[in-house]
Amino acid sequence: MSWVLSQPDLAIPLRGGAAGIGRTIDLVITTELENPFRWLSGGELVLTTGMRLPAAAADRATYLRRLNERGVAGVGFGIGLTHPEIPDDLIKVADDIGMPLFEVPLPTPFAAIVKRVTERSAQLQYDALLRASRAQPRMTRALVRSGARAIVRELATSLRATVLVLDAETRITDVHPDAPDDELLHTVRTTLGSDPAAASGVHTVHGQSITHQRIGVGGRVHGDLVVVSPVPLSAVDQILLGHANSLLALDFEKPARLWEAQHRLNSTVLGLLLSHEANLAPAWTHLAQAADAAGRIRVLAADCDTLDAVDDIRSVAESMAVRSGHPLFLHLLDRCIRLVLPGVAAVAFARELAADLSPGTSRSVRFGLSGEHPLPELVTAADAAALAATAAERGSAPSEFGALTGRSLLSFDSTRQVLDTLAKTVLTPLTDHDSAHGTDLLNSLRAYLEANGQWEAAAAATGVHRHTLRKRIATAQDLLGCDLDSARVRAELLLAILAAGN
């Protein structure tokens, strides 16, 4: 609007609404309709002689306010035909709402204004295309030479706006020309949070246009590219924004590709160490990155039923490693995954990994976590994790090897089968006697064994006098034909009773 008003040959003085002379004109229309509002979409410069302007001042005020509500850029009022001058009440309303209202003298035809604005729009569009054609290669060169920061600077300069890059947690990683104040940053974050699923959007907040686009490749999201400008971006500006977004996505993907290459190297080294190859000092040095500050590690084992589960676990583990900035050491053999983790962080990492899997994947995986070990005990830690995994339930949280103490033999199928056979063979005389005579020899023997041969404690556990318990144990010893004074015999009998579920 300010440019139109500055053209001396048009001789169109501003009469009201000076606060709005920064409004942008998209096209010029002439109308004498009483209700043109339904055909307006915003950005129009409306020219009228007021031929059907309402007679009442209140109705004229409503007319101008409704034009403003439709987003009209300004109103040119032709005088000398229907009205000798612009009504004072219209000028007052224009000032109140900031709607530019200018006078078009009788010698100035509406067509002259239409022509001048059309020519200016064409020139601006050409300039914008030329600016974009020059800015795009500059951005590309900036990516090669200086990375994301230079791209942001070029975009901000081309758009004459403030450009920000925010990461997935809405923290600023780059900005140009100046960092926003706390109020503006809060507004930007609120705008992004209003529709987290939206890949792009344009919002007008407190008189500023906030345009954002999601930065990402495939399903990986790196953050948002945000432009804060006094007016909405043009179509050409949007093209520049999209080009910058693509370049930023490529720049963000570079470290991701480097991480993936590092992960492959780590996996190779880990495989060598687990294979007991000789002269592996360099590999041990490389693996030291996996240990915590105290030099301790834990191994997480994941036994997968399907190859899809293997792929899902690998993908989640790689994403978690990128987020944490910690190197990933992953070894895969068949469908068994082994991860080497820092000792202090292993439990949290293992639980988060298990929780992030899809329900379908989770139901086909058993997780086992070793205890803490110094780095040279890698193989021992891996074996412990594997044993813990065999004792775990599919779909459950990782089973920790240390938690198996006191029940580890009963947790593994192979030893459980041996103990079940032992229970059926050894304990049959006792179970038969209890069944035939109504005695309680088996439970009495268990209490005695679990009390480590302490008569008082065993009698209290069974609720009988110690002399009664002594008679029962003597009877059990005779039936079993064994020597209960032998520690090995007692241990074997207790395992058999536990395996039998008594």
Side-chain angles (χ1 to χ4, degrees):
M1 282 299 304
S2 61
W3 182 88
V4 175
L5 295 169
S6 69
Q7 303 307 299
D9 56 327
L10 293 179
I12 47 176
L14 183 69
R15 296 304 186 198
I21 62 172
R23 296 187 183 189
T24 300
I25 301 169
D26 292 331
L27 74 161
V28 185
I29 65 169
T30 62
T31 179
E32 302 298 340
L33 296 175
E34 294 180 24
N35 298 295
F37 316 108
R38 59 181 294 187
W39 290 282
L40 302 174
S41 58
E44 297 91 349
L45 171 56
V46 174
L47 303 178
T48 181
T49 64
M51 183 182 302
R52 296 188 179 180
L53 196 66
D59 293 335
R60 288 196 293 267
T62 299
Y63 175 85
L64 198 60
R65 290 182 184 278
R66 291 192 65 185
L67 289 179
N68 187 59
E69 291 169 358
R70 296 299 296 175
V72 167
V75 175
F77 198 101
I79 62 172
L81 292 176
T82 309
H83 297 270
E85 59 183 13
I86 302 176
D88 290 339
D89 53 275
L90 273 186
I91 295 174
K92 182 178 183 306
V93 173
D95 285 332
D96 290 341
I97 62 178
M99 164 73 80
L101 176 64
F102 60 88
E103 179 181 290
V104 183
L106 186 60
T108 302
F110 283 178
I113 299 174
V114 173
K115 181 179 179 182
R116 185 62 60 83
V117 172
T118 301
E119 289 174 348
R120 177 61 175 168
S121 295
Q123 180 186 353
L124 290 174
Q125 289 180 4
Y126 175 78
D127 289 345
L129 288 170
L130 185 62
R131 175 166 49 87
S133 68
R134 291 172 176 172
Q136 284 180 322
R138 286 202 305 269
M139 288 182 190
T140 304
R141 288 193 296 270
L143 171 66
V144 175
R145 293 174 181 173
S146 307
R149 183 160 298 178
I151 297 173
V152 170
R153 183 176 61 250
E154 286 290 346
L155 181 62
T157 302
S158 298
L159 300 183
R160 300 178 182 90
T162 297
V163 176
L164 305 92
V165 176
L166 292 89
D167 63 16
E169 282 71 42
T170 70
R171 295 182 296 247
I172 295 178
T173 59
D174 284 297
V175 61
H176 191 85
D178 300 307
D181 57 36
D182 291 342
E183 182 178 357
L184 177 56
L185 182 57
H186 176 73
T187 299
V188 169
R189 286 171 169 162
T190 302
T191 301
L192 294 176
S194 63
D195 188 3
S200 62
V202 180
H203 306 266
T204 300
V205 183
H206 304 314
Q208 291 182 303
S209 178
I210 299 176
T211 306
H212 69 90
Q213 288 186 4
R214 186 69 40 79
I215 304 172
V217 176
R220 190 178 324 201
V221 175
H222 300 291
D224 289 274
L225 176 59
V226 180
V227 176
V228 181
S229 54
V231 296
L233 300 184
S234 68
V236 175
D237 292 336
Q238 292 279 4
I239 292 173
L240 276 180
L241 177 62
H243 183 65
N245 189 316
S246 299
L247 293 175
L248 287 171
L250 290 174
D251 191 64
F252 277 112
E253 282 294 303
K254 284 195 301 185
R257 291 195 298 272
L258 292 175
W259 271 107
E260 290 170 357
Q262 182 69 44
H263 295 164
R264 288 194 294 271
L265 173 60
N266 295 345
S267 298
T268 301
V269 170
L270 180 57
L272 289 173
L273 294 173
L274 291 175
S275 67
H276 305 280
E277 292 289 339
N279 192 24
L280 295 175
W284 284 109
T285 301
H286 187 76
L287 184 62
Q289 302 174 74
D292 60 19
R296 311 286 286 184
I297 60 167
R298 280 186 163 193
V299 173
L300 176 66
D303 291 346
C304 307
D305 295 340
T306 66
L307 292 177
D308 287 341
V310 170
D311 292 339
D312 287 350
I313 291 174
R314 189 203 299 269
S315 176
V316 173
E318 289 179 348
S319 296
M320 290 177 61
V322 170
R323 289 200 305 270
S324 66
H326 193 277
L328 180 67
F329 286 86
L330 183 150
H331 177 62
L332 173 64
L333 181 62
D334 295 328
R335 292 197 294 268
C336 299
I337 293 176
R338 302 294 181 262
L339 286 165
V340 180
L341 305 172
V344 295
V347 173
F349 187 99
R351 290 177 179 173
E352 183 179 350
L353 173 61
D356 284 353
L357 298 177
S358 66
T361 297
S362 181
R363 287 191 294 269
S364 63
V365 181
R366 294 184 297 178
F367 285 106
L369 184 64
S370 74
E372 289 192 18
H373 290 266
L375 189 64
E377 295 181 6
L378 168 67
V379 174
T380 301
D383 290 343
L387 285 174
T390 62
E393 295 182 7
R394 290 174 177 81
S396 65
S399 172
E400 296 188 46
F401 183 79
L404 298 179
T405 303
R407 61 183 182 90
S408 56
L409 290 176
L410 298 176
S411 300
F412 308 128
D413 291 340
S414 57
T415 55
R416 179 70 189 228
Q417 291 173 5
V418 173
L419 292 173
D420 283 343
T421 302
L422 177 65
K424 293 176 181 178
T425 303
V426 175
L427 301 179
T428 299
L430 294 185
T431 55
D432 289 347
H433 188 278
D434 286 342
S435 177
H437 303 284
T439 55
D440 196 18
L441 297 181
L442 187 59
N443 286 330
S444 298
L445 179 60
R446 174 173 180 169
Y448 171 75
L449 295 173
E450 289 184 335
N452 295 316
Q454 299 297 317
W455 294 107
E456 293 290 345
T462 55
V464 300
H465 194 275
R466 66 179 181 276
H467 295 310
T468 302
L469 181 64
R470 284 179 181 274
K471 292 180 180 179
R472 290 182 180 179
I473 298 305
T475 302
Q477 184 173 235
D478 291 341
L479 289 172
L480 294 175
C482 64
D483 180 10
L484 291 179
D485 291 333
S486 170
R488 291 189 176 184
V489 171
R490 292 198 302 270
E492 189 173 280
L493 285 173
L494 180 57
L495 286 173
I497 293 173
L498 293 174
N502 293 294

